[in-house]
Amino acid sequence: MLRQVAEGVLIHESEFLQTNAVVVQGRAGVLLIDPGVRGDEMACLANDLSELGQPVVAGFSTHPHWDHVLWHASLGAAPRYGTARCAATVRDRLSDARAKARIAELIPPDIVEQVPLDLLGLITGLPAETEQIPWDGPRVQIIEHQAHAPGHAALLIEERGVLVAGDTLSDVLIPLLDLNDTADPIEDYLAPLRLLEGAADDVDVVVPGHGSIGGADQIHARIDQDRAYLHALRDAQVVSDPRVGPSAAYDWLPGVHERQLQQLARRRERDGTHG
Ligand SMILES: [Zn+2]
């Protein structure tokens, strides 16, 4: 079911991890950002769009993780974009015969059968430094950064007052660091928060990749909450964040938090740095 969150911007929420697909209405059809997870949900979205007479004219994936680069045949054959670095990362991870089997192992067993992998990751990289998604609709500004995953893009739809945050600024997920592709995973997450803060004054609605939609009053609160979590990790202080406390939305989150702590400690030992 599609839900309008701003003029010409609609959301389709998956049961899996409160994943938000974002639909932006253009002149001849819609831009679809991070289409969804389960095949039946994407088919439902495609059906809703065809009832509205709105074909998908462009797709976009915010970052190269499996839950953001799926597609369903019923959504049609529009070009699907990502940043150059996002597309290169996906291409690299799909480059051998065992790739899809490996990705299937990342998907929770209870839904893996329902996640169609045949059209996974077929995205075209936009040239580096591209400032907006090429399509016939409201300007969608690309804010590229390296938090969470290589070539991650937040998207600012200024004339609609909407920030599509990808996997940052969630009310349910803590910042999940990219501990493989980056030399300074915490700073690589803090820097984008400053970028998003710079855009926040134009934002009335924030749409995280997972979690609930935030209103204007939520933008700064969510940036502050992510930043406080990262500062606590960086300074090896006690984390008091409701997203990994007793009221965590998912019972596996405190464990993910513990693993991040351990991996950061190992990196510090390896690099011989402190603090
Ligand atoms: Zn995600």
Side-chain angles (χ1 to χ4, degrees):
M1 194 188 60
L2 280 164
R3 179 159 71 90
Q4 177 156 318
V5 295
E7 191 197 332
V9 181
L10 305 110
I11 301 297
H12 195 267
E13 190 187 284
S14 170
E15 277 180 31
F16 172 73
L17 215 51
Q18 291 171 260
T19 307
N20 293 308
V22 184
V23 169
V24 186
Q25 287 174 331
R27 269 168 284 274
V30 305
L31 165 68
L32 176 56
I33 304 161
D34 292 355
V37 177
R38 278 184 8 208
D40 61 326
E41 290 172 339
M42 288 188 279
C44 164
L45 169 58
N47 192 50
D48 289 352
L49 290 173
S50 79
E51 275 173 14
L52 292 171
Q54 301 263 359
V56 178
V57 294
F60 190 88
S61 289
T62 57
H63 62 285
H65 289 164
W66 69 268
D67 52 330
H68 299 263
V69 294
L70 293 160
W71 197 260
H72 192 273
S74 62
L75 293 167
R80 296 161 56 191
Y81 302 113
T83 66
R85 209 161 160 207
C86 170
T89 303
V90 170
R91 213 166 29 246
D92 189 47
R93 289 181 185 166
L94 287 174
S95 59
D96 67 280
R98 280 252 324 134
K100 283 193 181 167
R102 255 194 333 267
I103 287 163
E105 284 165 16
L106 300 173
I107 302 176
D110 57 320
I111 63 158
V112 67
E113 297 293 325
Q114 299 156 52
V115 179
L117 295 181
D118 46 330
L119 299 173
L120 176 95
L122 302 177
I123 60 175
T124 301
L126 296 169
E129 319 275 310
T130 300
E131 286 181 4
Q132 61 186 84
I133 297 178
W135 83 298
D136 186 14
R139 177 182 149 89
V140 180
Q141 186 193 337
I142 298 170
I143 303 174
E144 183 175 349
H145 59 75
Q146 307 306 326
H148 181 66
H152 196 167
L155 301 171
L156 178 64
I157 313 163
E158 203 172 336
E159 56 185 274
R160 302 284 183 255
V162 175
L163 177 68
V164 179
D167 281 4
T168 66
L169 310 189
S170 170
D171 60 330
V172 294
L173 300 184
I174 47 170
L176 300 172
L177 301 176
D178 181 358
L179 290 153
N180 300 314
D181 306 288
T182 166
D184 190 346
I186 292 182
E187 179 51 32
D188 280 352
Y189 212 119
L190 287 168
L193 293 182
R194 292 191 286 273
L195 285 180
L196 299 181
E197 198 158 45
D201 288 344
D202 301 320
V203 174
D204 303 313
V205 178
V206 58
V207 182
H210 308 276
S212 44
I213 312 305
D217 59 320
Q218 282 277 305
I219 313 289
H220 286 286
R222 290 197 186 187
I223 292 171
D224 291 347
Q225 189 178 34
D226 275 1
R227 184 183 284 138
Y229 176 82
L230 295 161
H231 282 173
L233 283 192
R234 183 192 64 191
D235 303 337
Q237 284 166 356
V238 177
V239 168
S240 63
D241 189 310
R243 296 172 294 184
V244 289
S247 59
Y250 301 99
D251 59 5
W252 45 265
L253 275 166
V256 169
H257 166 59
E258 286 303 320
R259 273 199 298 286
Q260 293 204 129
L261 284 178
Q262 287 159 12
Q263 290 187 39
L264 286 166
R266 267 204 296 280
R267 283 172 76 105
R268 280 195 194 102
E269 255 168 52
R270 188 196 66 196
D271 302 340
T273 53
H274 302 276

